[in-house]
Amino acid sequence: MTYVYITGLAHSGTTLLSHLLSGLDDVISIGEVSRFMSTYHMQKYKARWGHCEDFSLCSCGTDWKNCSFWGPRYNLCGLESEGTLLEKYERLLGSFTDTHLKSKLIVDTSKNISDFHTLRKAWFNSPGSQSKLALILVVKDLRSFLASMKARRVQDGMKTGLVADIRTLNLWHGKNRELLDTVAQLDSAVSCVVVTYEDICLRTKQVIACLCNKLETTYSEDPVSVSHSGSHIVMGNTDFIHRNRDSIKYDDRWFYDTSAQLAYLLHPKARALNNQLIACSQESLDGKWRAKPRQDCNPGQGLHLDG
Ligand SMILES: [Zn+2]
């Protein structure tokens, strides 16, 4: 069994990748596991969505308690039991004992990198329960990320403009710098891949074939689709879970957003990191990428607006 953890900023394509992988025979996507196991997050989730009929719907179509994957593990849910994330990850990893699951790739889209470190500790504490651990960093081109965040700001009635754009780029730069540095400093026991949202959408088959090769699972020549039956995603993107989207549509709004492109031109550090991440994704697809720790590590540095 290989446990695959997908990290990246929200709205960067992490859910899309998880759904694409779950279309493969040997893959089970299980959603935002660390949130599902957290009492704090689940109480917030329940307060916001508890009134909805499909509040506890798994992507397999049944509710969490009756789901074939989560039902036997439902006591890990934050609404059912407290306990540390480390304890719960240890119990989750320890539950993959039957031969059916031993041949599978389990995909966790929790995203949060500190939760990944907890998972990694649990993985080292649970020798023999699983064979491999892998980390995939998904990154969206910062112009595309900016256009998508701007659209959200408009939707939420928040201010837009150059200052807000630069702040968004600072966020993108700081978080992705931290994620790339973390990936580069992991030991060789963890397989790491960097992939962009653009490559996932525009070179889908190549990305999935590359990941299958890296993660040592079978690649099917069947057309890759986000329509899936074998996933058990909880706490995922409701757009996918409830409507079961069956096609990939590249978000090209940034092509027409000249103000986003102006902010991009004004942020050389974010531009440089964007180019570096695109190159990492290309090298990952070519099978040549090797994580290298940075010498001038100064995570989180962006373009300063204050002081
Ligand atoms: Zn399910």
Side-chain angles (χ1 to χ4, degrees), residues 29 57-64 66-71 229-234:
S29 286
L57 187 68
C58 175
S59 63
C60 67
T62 59
D63 62 74
W64 303 332
N66 296 309
C67 157
S68 60
F69 182 89
W70 283 109
S229 56
S231 71
H232 296 283
I233 295 172
V234 283

Side-chain angles (χ1 to χ4, degrees), residues 155-175:
Q155 199 179 338
D156 295 343
M158 294 167 74
K159 269 190 177 177
T160 57
L162 188 59
V163 172
D165 287 352
I166 296 289
R167 287 202 166 115
T168 301
L169 294 194
N170 279 345
L171 167 80
W172 181 97
H173 175 259
K175 291 284 182 191

Side-chain angles (χ1 to χ4, degrees), residues 57-103:
L57 187 68
C58 175
S59 63
C60 67
T62 59
D63 62 74
W64 303 332
K65 274 185 192 168
N66 296 309
C67 157
S68 60
F69 182 89
W70 283 109
R73 299 171 179 83
Y74 187 59
N75 61 355
L76 294 173
C77 174
L79 293 173
E80 288 296 300
S81 63
E82 296 188 347
T84 67
L85 185 61
L86 179 62
E87 288 166 357
K88 289 193 173 183
Y89 261 129
E90 284 173 353
R91 283 163 54 196
L92 178 67
L93 293 173
S95 75
F96 300 138
T97 49
D98 66 61
T99 46
H100 169 69
L101 288 175
K102 277 183 179 171
S103 63

Side-chain angles (χ1 to χ4, degrees), residues 149-299:
M149 294 306 280
K150 277 176 77 171
R152 291 185 71 82
R153 291 179 75 85
V154 170
Q155 199 179 338
D156 295 343
M158 294 167 74
K159 269 190 177 177
T160 57
L162 188 59
V163 172
D165 287 352
I166 296 289
R167 287 202 166 115
T168 301
L169 294 194
N170 279 345
L171 167 80
W172 181 97
H173 175 259
K175 291 284 182 191
N176 280 310
R177 181 78 266 171
E178 181 189 358
L179 291 172
L180 185 60
D181 288 341
T182 301
V183 167
Q185 284 157 13
L186 287 173
D187 52 67
S188 59
V190 183
S191 299
C192 298
V193 180
V194 177
V195 65
T196 61
Y197 164 76
E198 285 65 32
D199 281 335
I200 294 170
C201 289
L202 304 173
R203 305 162 73 189
T204 310
K205 283 191 177 184
Q206 196 179 343
V207 167
I208 299 302
C210 156
L211 291 176
C212 287
N213 183 39
K214 184 89 177 172
L215 302 172
E216 296 174 20
T217 191
T218 314
Y219 172 65
S220 151
E221 287 296 330
D222 291 335
V224 175
S225 162
V226 293
S227 175
H228 57 90
S229 56
S231 71
H232 296 283
I233 295 172
V234 283
M235 313 291 295
N237 182 323
T238 52
D239 192 38
F240 282 97
I241 288 181
H242 300 304
R243 291 179 221 159
N244 198 22
R245 270 170 39 170
D246 59 1
S247 63
I248 301 167
K249 184 179 178 301
Y250 179 62
D251 178 2
D252 62 358
R253 284 173 290 185
W254 69 273
F255 289 179
Y256 318 103
D257 189 339
T258 48
S259 63
Q261 295 183 30
L262 173 64
Y264 172 78
L265 288 173
L266 290 172
H267 206 309
K269 281 184 179 164
R271 258 194 347 259
L273 181 60
N274 198 48
N275 290 337
Q276 187 184 354
L277 288 163
I278 291 168
C280 289
S281 181
Q282 178 60 57
E283 288 170 18
S284 286
L285 294 187
D286 293 342
K288 295 176 188 164
W289 184 70
R290 295 286 178 275
K292 292 184 282 290
R294 268 201 320 160
Q295 301 301 314
D296 60 332
C297 201
N298 187 12

